[in-house]
Amino acid sequence: MNFTSSLLRTSPKLISSFLSHTQRRTFTMATMQSPLFTQQVVKAMQTLYPEPLADRTWDNVGLLQENFTTSSSPTSPTSPIILLTNDLTPSVAQEAISRNASVIISYHPFIFRGVKSITLADPQQRIILLLAHHNIAVYSPHTAIDAAPGGMADWLASMLSSLPGVTTQISTVQPVDTSSLGSQFTGAGYGRKVELSKPVGLGEVVKLYAKGLGGLRHVMVARPKTNPNEQITVKTVAVCPGSGESVLAGVKDADLIITGEMSHHPALKLVMEGKSVLSVFHSNSERRFLAEVLKPQLEGHLGKEVDGLQVLVSEEDSDPFQIVDVEDLPEDMRVQTTV
């Protein structure tokens, strides 16, 4: 499904439709209320990944866009359908509409900083208008999922436990204060350090993560130069989803740092220190979690109380970067010669 430029431009017809639609229903502040299903989804997410776990010094988590019903029609249908996505792009928004979702859970916040206006000039603000028109809510958990026990950081760290003949000891990097939460959230933090019971080859770990993150064909590796016959091994690994450079900076004894992305100079410094870096592109370090962990969690929490529940994973969501072979470019990148 392609969200083309014609869809990106809100047409006069759409505006007219929106206006006539709203004119048929007279809303007041008193009559508008949050749909029960939206409330149930928010409660489930806050139970699994409490918002106090998020790094609110910069992050923006929670219910970022609400949908509504009215007191005059409190039983008006709200489809019990959730769409999970890593990033909320125009094509994902259109997918949510076509798949009749009423709530989008977008791991990354699509509203990140203060909004002083909502206009058609900004493609992200067009998403707000489009979703409002179709009465779709958006919830973002972001760093609350990263930090929670059993969340994104633990999921990445746990992959190392599947190495044959290896046991692991996992500890928290950058712990979060969980005194206001239950004991089940003890050990929360934004990264993980994994100590292996014995050294393993770097290539073995690279293949493990490429498979675990969805069968990636290409990853980026920075490593020290060695003799051709010398095997690079690792025994201590630091992992963090997304951009883990600052989170993992304090793990001085790690042989390998695994994250979604890292800028040039920090990676170069680590290599000069004899360490290796595995970078899998930002959202590739996160996306698989939605299907493998979050989808069944929500089905378990909501399945008994919501009839007809569907938790869908976006088919349009993808990392914006891809590695291309310049000798075999994708069709849409090939130079067209005109005569």
Side-chain angles (χ1 to χ4, degrees), residues 146-176:
D146 291 351
M152 194 83 73
D154 269 344
W155 173 71
L156 280 177
S158 68
M159 290 186 190
L160 291 163
S161 301
S162 63
L163 287 166
V166 174
T167 59
T168 59
Q169 182 176 339
I170 301 174
S171 56
T172 301
V173 178
Q174 288 198 6
V176 175

mmCIF file of all heavy atoms in Angstrom, residues 146-176:
data_model
loop_
_atom_site.group_PDB
_atom_site.id
_atom_site.type_symbol
_atom_site.label_atom_id
_atom_site.label_comp_id
_atom_site.label_asym_id
_atom_site.label_seq_id
_atom_site.Cartn_x
_atom_site.Cartn_y
_atom_site.Cartn_z
ATOM 1 N N ASP A 146 11.197 0.315 26.852
ATOM 2 C CA ASP A 146 12.642 0.060 26.912
ATOM 3 C C ASP A 146 13.061 -0.372 28.310
ATOM 4 O O ASP A 146 13.840 -1.316 28.481
ATOM 5 C CB ASP A 146 13.425 1.325 26.541
ATOM 6 C CG ASP A 146 13.285 1.708 25.079
ATOM 7 O OD1 ASP A 146 12.735 0.909 24.308
ATOM 8 O OD2 ASP A 146 13.722 2.813 24.724
ATOM 9 N N ALA A 147 12.566 0.336 29.303
ATOM 10 C CA ALA A 147 13.069 0.173 30.665
ATOM 11 C C ALA A 147 12.458 -0.994 31.419
ATOM 12 O O ALA A 147 13.111 -1.579 32.291
ATOM 13 C CB ALA A 147 12.825 1.466 31.453
ATOM 14 N N ALA A 148 11.225 -1.342 31.134
ATOM 15 C CA ALA A 148 10.491 -2.303 31.955
ATOM 16 C C ALA A 148 11.133 -3.686 31.947
ATOM 17 O O ALA A 148 11.636 -4.145 30.913
ATOM 18 C CB ALA A 148 9.051 -2.410 31.458
ATOM 19 N N PRO A 149 11.124 -4.369 33.079
ATOM 20 C CA PRO A 149 11.523 -5.780 33.089
ATOM 21 C C PRO A 149 10.645 -6.570 32.115
ATOM 22 O O PRO A 149 9.420 -6.428 32.111
ATOM 23 C CB PRO A 149 11.262 -6.209 34.537
ATOM 24 C CG PRO A 149 11.365 -4.946 35.326
ATOM 25 C CD PRO A 149 10.786 -3.879 34.436
ATOM 26 N N GLY A 150 11.269 -7.363 31.276
ATOM 27 C CA GLY A 150 10.530 -8.075 30.252
ATOM 28 C C GLY A 150 10.229 -7.238 29.023
ATOM 29 O O GLY A 150 9.556 -7.709 28.099
ATOM 30 N N GLY A 151 10.716 -5.999 29.007
ATOM 31 C CA GLY A 151 10.472 -5.104 27.884
ATOM 32 C C GLY A 151 11.548 -5.200 26.823
ATOM 33 O O GLY A 151 12.233 -6.217 26.671
ATOM 34 N N MET A 152 11.718 -4.108 26.098
ATOM 35 C CA MET A 152 12.581 -4.105 24.919
ATOM 36 C C MET A 152 14.041 -4.431 25.242
ATOM 37 O O MET A 152 14.676 -5.236 24.555
ATOM 38 C CB MET A 152 12.489 -2.739 24.229
ATOM 39 C CG MET A 152 13.054 -2.708 22.826
ATOM 40 S SD MET A 152 11.886 -3.288 21.584
ATOM 41 C CE MET A 152 10.730 -1.927 21.496
ATOM 42 N N ALA A 153 14.608 -3.814 26.271
ATOM 43 C CA ALA A 153 16.016 -4.055 26.598
ATOM 44 C C ALA A 153 16.238 -5.499 27.042
ATOM 45 O O ALA A 153 17.211 -6.142 26.631
ATOM 46 C CB ALA A 153 16.477 -3.079 27.684
ATOM 47 N N ASP A 154 15.330 -6.017 27.860
ATOM 48 C CA ASP A 154 15.437 -7.413 28.290
ATOM 49 C C ASP A 154 15.298 -8.366 27.112
ATOM 50 O O ASP A 154 15.973 -9.399 27.044
ATOM 51 C CB ASP A 154 14.369 -7.734 29.342
ATOM 52 C CG ASP A 154 14.867 -7.496 30.760
ATOM 53 O OD1 ASP A 154 16.098 -7.382 30.949
ATOM 54 O OD2 ASP A 154 14.038 -7.409 31.672
ATOM 55 N N TRP A 155 14.384 -8.033 26.212
ATOM 56 C CA TRP A 155 14.178 -8.872 25.026
ATOM 57 C C TRP A 155 15.452 -8.968 24.188
ATOM 58 O O TRP A 155 15.842 -10.062 23.765
ATOM 59 C CB TRP A 155 13.021 -8.290 24.215
ATOM 60 C CG TRP A 155 12.772 -8.930 22.892
ATOM 61 C CD1 TRP A 155 12.252 -10.181 22.656
ATOM 62 C CD2 TRP A 155 13.005 -8.340 21.605
ATOM 63 N NE1 TRP A 155 12.153 -10.404 21.298
ATOM 64 C CE2 TRP A 155 12.609 -9.299 20.631
ATOM 65 C CE3 TRP A 155 13.507 -7.119 21.181
ATOM 66 C CZ2 TRP A 155 12.698 -9.043 19.260
ATOM 67 C CZ3 TRP A 155 13.589 -6.859 19.822
ATOM 68 C CH2 TRP A 155 13.189 -7.823 18.879
ATOM 69 N N LEU A 156 16.113 -7.839 23.980
ATOM 70 C CA LEU A 156 17.374 -7.857 23.237
ATOM 71 C C LEU A 156 18.443 -8.655 23.974
ATOM 72 O O LEU A 156 19.169 -9.452 23.369
ATOM 73 C CB LEU A 156 17.872 -6.423 23.015
ATOM 74 C CG LEU A 156 17.255 -5.617 21.881
ATOM 75 C CD1 LEU A 156 17.839 -4.209 21.873
ATOM 76 C CD2 LEU A 156 17.469 -6.287 20.532
ATOM 77 N N ALA A 157 18.532 -8.453 25.282
ATOM 78 C CA ALA A 157 19.549 -9.151 26.063
ATOM 79 C C ALA A 157 19.301 -10.652 26.088
ATOM 80 O O ALA A 157 20.244 -11.455 26.044
ATOM 81 C CB ALA A 157 19.585 -8.596 27.485
ATOM 82 N N SER A 158 18.039 -11.043 26.153
ATOM 83 C CA SER A 158 17.707 -12.460 26.283
ATOM 84 C C SER A 158 18.073 -13.272 25.053
ATOM 85 O O SER A 158 18.181 -14.500 25.130
ATOM 86 C CB SER A 158 16.213 -12.626 26.587
ATOM 87 O OG SER A 158 15.426 -12.233 25.473
ATOM 88 N N MET A 159 18.256 -12.630 23.915
ATOM 89 C CA MET A 159 18.646 -13.367 22.711
ATOM 90 C C MET A 159 19.963 -14.105 22.916
ATOM 91 O O MET A 159 20.187 -15.185 22.362
ATOM 92 C CB MET A 159 18.748 -12.411 21.515
ATOM 93 C CG MET A 159 17.428 -11.877 21.032
ATOM 94 S SD MET A 159 17.610 -10.881 19.517
ATOM 95 C CE MET A 159 15.976 -10.178 19.405
ATOM 96 N N LEU A 160 20.850 -13.533 23.735
ATOM 97 C CA LEU A 160 22.146 -14.159 23.965
ATOM 98 C C LEU A 160 22.021 -15.464 24.744
ATOM 99 O O LEU A 160 22.931 -16.301 24.710
ATOM 100 C CB LEU A 160 23.073 -13.190 24.701
ATOM 101 C CG LEU A 160 23.519 -11.979 23.874
ATOM 102 C CD1 LEU A 160 24.070 -10.889 24.773
ATOM 103 C CD2 LEU A 160 24.549 -12.395 22.830
ATOM 104 N N SER A 161 20.898 -15.655 25.425
ATOM 105 C CA SER A 161 20.687 -16.886 26.182
ATOM 106 C C SER A 161 20.491 -18.092 25.280
ATOM 107 O O SER A 161 20.565 -19.232 25.746
ATOM 108 C CB SER A 161 19.467 -16.734 27.105
ATOM 109 O OG SER A 161 19.640 -15.658 27.998
ATOM 110 N N SER A 162 20.240 -17.860 23.992
ATOM 111 C CA SER A 162 20.045 -18.977 23.064
ATOM 112 C C SER A 162 21.345 -19.446 22.420
ATOM 113 O O SER A 162 21.342 -20.376 21.617
ATOM 114 C CB SER A 162 19.040 -18.584 21.977
ATOM 115 O OG SER A 162 19.528 -17.501 21.199
ATOM 116 N N LEU A 163 22.468 -18.809 22.770
ATOM 117 C CA LEU A 163 23.756 -19.294 22.275
ATOM 118 C C LEU A 163 24.014 -20.691 22.835
ATOM 119 O O LEU A 163 23.869 -20.917 24.043
ATOM 120 C CB LEU A 163 24.878 -18.349 22.695
ATOM 121 C CG LEU A 163 24.961 -17.011 21.969
ATOM 122 C CD1 LEU A 163 25.896 -16.059 22.718
ATOM 123 C CD2 LEU A 163 25.424 -17.201 20.531
ATOM 124 N N PRO A 164 24.383 -21.660 22.007
ATOM 125 C CA PRO A 164 24.568 -23.032 22.493
ATOM 126 C C PRO A 164 25.704 -23.141 23.509
ATOM 127 O O PRO A 164 26.788 -22.594 23.300
ATOM 128 C CB PRO A 164 24.885 -23.815 21.210
ATOM 129 C CG PRO A 164 25.352 -22.797 20.223
ATOM 130 C CD PRO A 164 24.631 -21.538 20.557
ATOM 131 N N GLY A 165 25.421 -23.829 24.620
ATOM 132 C CA GLY A 165 26.450 -24.084 25.623
ATOM 133 C C GLY A 165 26.865 -22.869 26.429
ATOM 134 O O GLY A 165 27.907 -22.889 27.073
ATOM 135 N N VAL A 166 26.046 -21.803 26.404
ATOM 136 C CA VAL A 166 26.396 -20.562 27.092
ATOM 137 C C VAL A 166 25.301 -20.198 28.085
ATOM 138 O O VAL A 166 24.111 -20.264 27.765
ATOM 139 C CB VAL A 166 26.595 -19.405 26.090
ATOM 140 C CG1 VAL A 166 26.820 -18.093 26.822
ATOM 141 C CG2 VAL A 166 27.761 -19.699 25.156
ATOM 142 N N THR A 167 25.680 -19.822 29.283
ATOM 143 C CA THR A 167 24.736 -19.232 30.237
ATOM 144 C C THR A 167 25.029 -17.739 30.344
ATOM 145 O O THR A 167 26.142 -17.298 30.052
ATOM 146 C CB THR A 167 24.850 -19.892 31.623
ATOM 147 O OG1 THR A 167 26.189 -19.730 32.119
ATOM 148 C CG2 THR A 167 24.504 -21.371 31.542
ATOM 149 N N THR A 168 24.029 -16.982 30.750
ATOM 150 C CA THR A 168 24.187 -15.528 30.786
ATOM 151 C C THR A 168 23.808 -14.971 32.155
ATOM 152 O O THR A 168 22.955 -15.512 32.856
ATOM 153 C CB THR A 168 23.308 -14.850 29.727
ATOM 154 O OG1 THR A 168 21.932 -15.181 29.968
ATOM 155 C CG2 THR A 168 23.689 -15.300 28.326
ATOM 156 N N GLN A 169 24.458 -13.871 32.498
ATOM 157 C CA GLN A 169 24.102 -13.102 33.690
ATOM 158 C C GLN A 169 23.799 -11.686 33.230
ATOM 159 O O GLN A 169 24.669 -11.002 32.680
ATOM 160 C CB GLN A 169 25.246 -13.111 34.707
ATOM 161 C CG GLN A 169 24.918 -12.369 35.989
ATOM 162 C CD GLN A 169 26.031 -12.477 37.031
ATOM 163 O OE1 GLN A 169 26.840 -13.390 36.966
ATOM 164 N NE2 GLN A 169 26.069 -11.546 37.966
ATOM 165 N N ILE A 170 22.558 -11.245 33.461
ATOM 166 C CA ILE A 170 22.085 -9.965 32.939
ATOM 167 C C ILE A 170 21.920 -8.961 34.072
ATOM 168 O O ILE A 170 21.320 -9.271 35.104
ATOM 169 C CB ILE A 170 20.750 -10.137 32.184
ATOM 170 C CG1 ILE A 170 20.918 -11.123 31.027
ATOM 171 C CG2 ILE A 170 20.246 -8.793 31.665
ATOM 172 C CD1 ILE A 170 19.622 -11.463 30.305
ATOM 173 N N SER A 171 22.450 -7.765 33.882
ATOM 174 C CA SER A 171 22.288 -6.693 34.861
ATOM 175 C C SER A 171 21.798 -5.438 34.146
ATOM 176 O O SER A 171 21.893 -5.310 32.927
ATOM 177 C CB SER A 171 23.604 -6.419 35.597
ATOM 178 O OG SER A 171 24.648 -6.109 34.681
ATOM 179 N N THR A 172 21.271 -4.501 34.939
ATOM 180 C CA THR A 172 20.640 -3.300 34.387
ATOM 181 C C THR A 172 21.637 -2.163 34.231
ATOM 182 O O THR A 172 22.473 -1.922 35.101
ATOM 183 C CB THR A 172 19.493 -2.842 35.299
ATOM 184 O OG1 THR A 172 18.550 -3.906 35.410
ATOM 185 C CG2 THR A 172 18.803 -1.607 34.747
ATOM 186 N N VAL A 173 21.537 -1.474 33.104
ATOM 187 C CA VAL A 173 22.303 -0.256 32.857
ATOM 188 C C VAL A 173 21.352 0.926 33.027
ATOM 189 O O VAL A 173 20.208 0.886 32.572
ATOM 190 C CB VAL A 173 22.906 -0.256 31.441
ATOM 191 C CG1 VAL A 173 23.662 1.039 31.170
ATOM 192 C CG2 VAL A 173 23.825 -1.461 31.255
ATOM 193 N N GLN A 174 21.805 1.988 33.664
ATOM 194 C CA GLN A 174 20.988 3.169 33.946
ATOM 195 C C GLN A 174 19.646 2.795 34.600
ATOM 196 O O GLN A 174 18.573 2.943 33.999
ATOM 197 C CB GLN A 174 20.737 3.993 32.677
ATOM 198 C CG GLN A 174 21.962 4.749 32.190
ATOM 199 C CD GLN A 174 21.620 5.876 31.223
ATOM 200 O OE1 GLN A 174 20.458 6.198 30.976
ATOM 201 N NE2 GLN A 174 22.637 6.490 30.672
ATOM 202 N N PRO A 175 19.702 2.289 35.842
ATOM 203 C CA PRO A 175 18.470 1.892 36.548
ATOM 204 C C PRO A 175 17.494 3.057 36.706
ATOM 205 O O PRO A 175 17.873 4.221 36.754
ATOM 206 C CB PRO A 175 18.994 1.424 37.909
ATOM 207 C CG PRO A 175 20.428 1.104 37.689
ATOM 208 C CD PRO A 175 20.901 2.066 36.646
ATOM 209 N N VAL A 176 16.215 2.693 36.800
ATOM 210 C CA VAL A 176 15.134 3.655 36.982
ATOM 211 C C VAL A 176 14.582 3.498 38.391
ATOM 212 O O VAL A 176 14.461 2.386 38.912
ATOM 213 C CB VAL A 176 14.018 3.408 35.945
ATOM 214 C CG1 VAL A 176 12.832 4.333 36.193
ATOM 215 C CG2 VAL A 176 14.553 3.595 34.539
#
